[in-house]
Amino acid sequence: MEKMPYRDELDLQVRPAVSEQAVSTDWRGSLPVLANGSVILRDLRVSDAPSLFALLTTEEVARFISPPPTTVEGFERFIAWTHRERAAGKYACFAVTLKGYDTAVGIFQVRDLASGFDTAEWGFAIGSSFWGTGVFETGANLVLEFAFDTLGVRRLEARAAVQNGRGNGALLKVGAVLEGVLRQSFAKSGHYYDQGLFAILEKDWRAAREPKPFVHRVSVH
Ligand SMILES: CC(C)(COP(=O)(O)OP(=O)(O)OC[C@H]1O[C@@H](n2cnc3c(N)ncnc32)[C@H](O)[C@@H]1OP(=O)(O)O)[C@@H](O)C(=O)NCCC(=O)NCCS
């Protein structure tokens, strides 16, 4: 999430050609609804702009991420941009919602790193009143399944500022491995921050989901 690829000032309304990649194509028309328990991920809607503006622009949420839009209208433009990028087959952005409460309380993003989703990067931000509630972990696992099973990702990267304790902890708990530190790779408000480079490999993700063989221990005295 440190590198939210959207920039208001760079939104020139250019429709890129649809890239030709051997990945499942129907998500380009609209994202599937992903659900587990009370967490529901769905395509963003322009009407999500007010809640995302209220929840994702607070100091504690925005502290270690690239600056989010500063107005509701800016979020509306961001959402329209996510739809164009999705239609071009380069990017997917899910709204995080809760069962019976269709308001967007956060986002998960996955973007192609110029290799037909062989390697991709993900990021996420959730309103702070939902931190520590399990919403992140449930949503993250849905997004991982979408990335590996639908997009065909082989390597999923994430970057998190070293000082972003929750971001680092969140990545580690869903299986991301810290591979190194990208020194002074993130600039914000006149400061350069080191970022951890995390990755999850598809093969590791699949192996972790395989049922563990049952070992019956017999005590011998
Ligand atoms: C990143 C984010 C989505 C995670 O959601 P969350 O609900 O806070 O995540 P969780 O509470 O499920 O997991 C965070 C873990 O980090 C741990 N943690 C918290 N502070 C920590 C710290 N300073 N150092 C290390 N780990 C820390 C928590 O204990 C938790 O682990 P646990 O569940 O095993 O106890 C949310 O914090 C957020 O939106 N942050 C702002 C946006 C952001 O920074 N995004 C970029 C992330 S790369």
Side-chain angles (χ1 to χ4, degrees):
M1 184 67 194
E2 269 60 34
K3 290 280 175 198
M4 185 188 263
Y6 174 77
R7 292 287 180 283
D8 222 7
E9 68 277 15
L10 297 181
D11 186 3
L12 302 175
Q13 305 277 322
V14 176
R15 266 76 171 164
V18 173
S19 52
E20 298 189 341
Q21 293 148 8
V23 294
S24 174
T25 53
D26 48 1
W27 61 271
R28 299 177 186 200
S30 65
L31 293 177
V33 175
L34 310 176
N36 186 4
S38 60
V39 176
I40 299 174
L41 306 186
R42 58 157 173 78
D43 226 337
L44 281 168
R45 300 178 192 137
V46 173
S47 57
D48 293 324
S51 66
L52 292 179
F53 169 71
L55 292 169
L56 303 188
T57 58
T58 62
E59 204 279 321
E60 55 190 343
V61 172
R63 191 162 162 212
F64 294 117
I65 60 177
S66 46
T70 52
T71 60
V72 171
E73 293 71 29
F75 269 91
E76 288 174 351
R77 287 192 293 275
F78 163 68
I79 292 165
W81 174 87
T82 69
H83 293 161
R84 292 196 297 277
E85 293 288 296
R86 186 225 321 114
K90 300 194 294 193
Y91 170 88
C93 187
F94 287 94
V96 180
T97 68
L98 300 170
K99 201 171 183 176
Y101 177 75
D102 195 35
T103 306
V105 300
I107 58 172
F108 279 91
Q109 314 182 82
V110 184
R111 74 180 173 107
D112 182 17
L113 289 180
S115 51
F117 276 107
D118 176 74
T119 302
E121 180 177 11
W122 68 324
F124 30 78
I126 292 175
S128 57
S129 38
F130 300 90
W131 292 3
T133 62
V135 169
F136 164 75
E137 190 169 7
T138 303
N141 284 319
L142 290 168
V143 172
L144 291 174
E145 194 170 342
F146 174 77
F148 294 123
D149 282 348
T150 303
L151 297 178
V153 172
R154 182 187 57 84
R155 173 181 161 83
L156 187 64
E157 297 183 356
R159 287 155 180 74
V162 168
Q163 291 97 328
N164 185 353
R166 289 205 88 87
N168 284 262
L171 282 162
L172 291 170
K173 77 189 240 188
V174 295
V177 173
L178 178 61
E179 297 185 332
V181 174
L182 307 170
R183 293 176 301 155
Q184 298 196 1
S185 56
F186 176 57
K188 184 156 187 191
S189 309
H191 296 286
Y192 288 104
Y193 294 91
D194 293 352
Q195 293 182 112
L197 173 64
F198 293 83
I200 304 176
L201 300 184
E202 182 218 355
K203 69 177 176 63
D204 294 344
W205 177 77
R206 291 201 188 284
R209 281 160 48 107
E210 272 168 19
K212 305 273 178 295
F214 178 71
V215 179
H216 187 67
R217 291 187 189 280
V218 179
S219 311
V220 180
H221 298 283

